[in-house]
Amino acid sequence: MRRLPTVLVVLLTALGLTGALLPAGAVAAERYPVPYNFLPYALLGGAQSDAPGTNDWDCRPSRRHPRPVVLVHGTFGNRATNWQTYGPLLANEGYCVFALTYGVDDVGGPATEVFGGMRRMQSSARELKRFVGDVRRATGARKVDLVGHSQGTLMPSWYVKFLGGAEHVKRYVSIAPLWHGTEVGGAAALAGSAFGMPVDSSVPFCVACGQFSPDSRFLRRIRRGGVAVEGIDYTNIVTRYDELVVPHTSGIERGMTNIVVQDECATDYAEHFQIVADPVAAGHVLHALDPQRRTPVGCSVVLPFVGGPPPAG
């Protein structure tokens, strides 16, 4: 797939829009509309404090869904912009849904403090640990399920492997993961080579970006002894059209359930951003969180960035 640097720059800048605060729990008793179009609704998320359906701290898990779901955004995202699809979708399914913004570098003031995933991933993992603790205390749940996108698939592995997270996580669902790093998206296109800096160096506004290199110290430590942790059910959902995780097979890892959306739906052209609002991928996420679910995933035409309708039926 051809690189779209200008489009990506515009998109990432747009994700930082700020505006009025809309409380997530205001319509908790109603069903939320679920959009399957990344770009327009990510822009909408820039005017919200939380994605619809998320961070209702009075929510109590049901017998059917006994574990809260914690959503972990990607680089340059935050808890509102990244989860306009999964907040309402999972809330409608009866889950208690929580989302954090982590890794904010506020050195640049308002211009940078809306972008998450900037700081070193070890530091962000400590933020995730605290957030999961807050969720567990609020809901009374012993464990949570994680759903992450991009950096949000990789950073939590530090929490799970080295910060005691293994005993508090049951299902670990990764959308556009990069278990083997990326040759383009993080280390080069977003950070290191653009500034002429070595891997793991302090890249302005995005220290984490240098850690996406396959040769970074972070990834070498994560992969030492195997990525998967015993007792956790891992699912990876990958798109062949990922322009930032290169090659896309970086998201495929032994000992995990690996799904390439185009293997079952050839008309799905979702790339790195649309995959987090992709109706086909969403079906796989719902099955990963609830393996007893009987609703078929289905297939539909999904376009880059702007998505498409959910599968019929």
Side-chain angles (χ1 to χ4, degrees):
M1 181 175 181
R2 290 180 60 85
R3 305 293 178 256
L4 301 172
T6 302
V7 174
L8 293 180
V9 169
V10 172
L11 173 62
L12 294 173
T13 302
L15 292 184
L17 294 176
T18 58
L21 303 182
L22 303 177
V27 290
E30 301 178 7
R31 289 184 64 85
Y32 299 93
V34 181
Y36 291 104
N37 317 90
F38 174 77
L39 181 54
Y41 285 90
L43 297 176
L44 175 64
Q48 299 174 335
S49 60
D50 295 293
T54 66
N55 294 340
D56 176 0
W57 293 94
D58 293 322
C59 186
R60 295 296 177 267
S62 65
R63 179 175 298 181
R64 179 181 175 186
H65 299 308
R67 293 179 302 277
V69 177
V70 174
L71 304 176
V72 191
H73 64 75
T75 311
F76 294 106
N78 63 47
R79 67 192 184 195
T81 58
N82 217 131
W83 299 116
Q84 292 290 305
T85 297
Y86 281 93
L89 174 67
L90 294 175
N92 289 348
E93 292 288 328
Y95 291 92
C96 291
V97 191
F98 298 87
L100 78 162
T101 298
Y102 65 87
V104 172
D105 182 351
D106 57 4
V107 172
T112 59
E113 63 188 12
V114 295
F115 296 111
M118 300 291 98
R119 300 175 64 194
R120 194 169 297 276
M121 283 190 275
Q122 293 92 325
S123 173
S124 294
R126 291 192 290 272
E127 295 184 59
L128 176 61
K129 177 180 180 178
R130 290 192 292 271
F131 188 79
V132 169
D134 291 343
V135 169
R136 291 175 53 245
R137 283 187 291 273
T139 61
R142 190 170 68 88
K143 293 191 175 188
V144 303
D145 293 336
L146 300 178
V147 175
H149 173 232
S150 191
Q151 183 185 158
T153 72
L154 182 59
M155 177 275 285
S157 61
W158 192 273
Y159 161 60
V160 166
K161 292 193 73 172
F162 306 122
L163 300 179
E167 63 178 303
H168 301 307
V169 175
K170 174 58 178 175
R171 304 193 190 281
Y172 191 138
V173 183
S174 298
I175 306 169
L178 58 162
W179 297 114
H180 300 262
T182 176
E183 299 289 352
V184 173
L190 293 180
S193 67
F195 293 94
M197 296 181 178
V199 170
D200 277 4
S201 64
S202 184
V203 176
F205 305 118
C206 189
V207 179
C209 292
Q211 296 182 295
F212 302 153
S213 167
D215 298 322
S216 73
R217 289 186 294 271
F218 180 88
L219 264 172
R220 290 201 303 269
R221 182 79 185 277
I222 288 296
R223 297 196 57 78
R224 189 179 304 154
V227 175
V229 173
E230 186 175 357
I232 297 178
D233 299 326
Y234 292 84
T235 302
N236 301 316
I237 300 170
V238 173
T239 173
R240 288 186 184 142
Y241 300 106
D242 199 315
E243 72 277 28
L244 294 186
V245 178
V246 178
H248 73 276
T249 51
S250 175
I252 294 174
E253 179 67 19
R254 183 179 302 177
M256 304 179 180
T257 299
N258 298 295
I259 299 167
V260 180
V261 292
Q262 288 80 20
D263 285 349
E264 299 180 26
C265 184
T267 57
D268 189 328
Y269 299 100
E271 34 58 60
H272 188 80
F273 296 97
Q274 175 57 35
I275 191 69
V276 81
D278 180 358
V280 179
H284 289 297
V285 170
L286 292 176
H287 276 278
L289 292 173
D290 182 5
Q292 304 304 313
R293 181 182 175 86
R294 297 178 181 178
T295 305
V297 171
C299 181
S300 61
V301 176
V302 181
L303 301 178
F305 296 105
V306 296

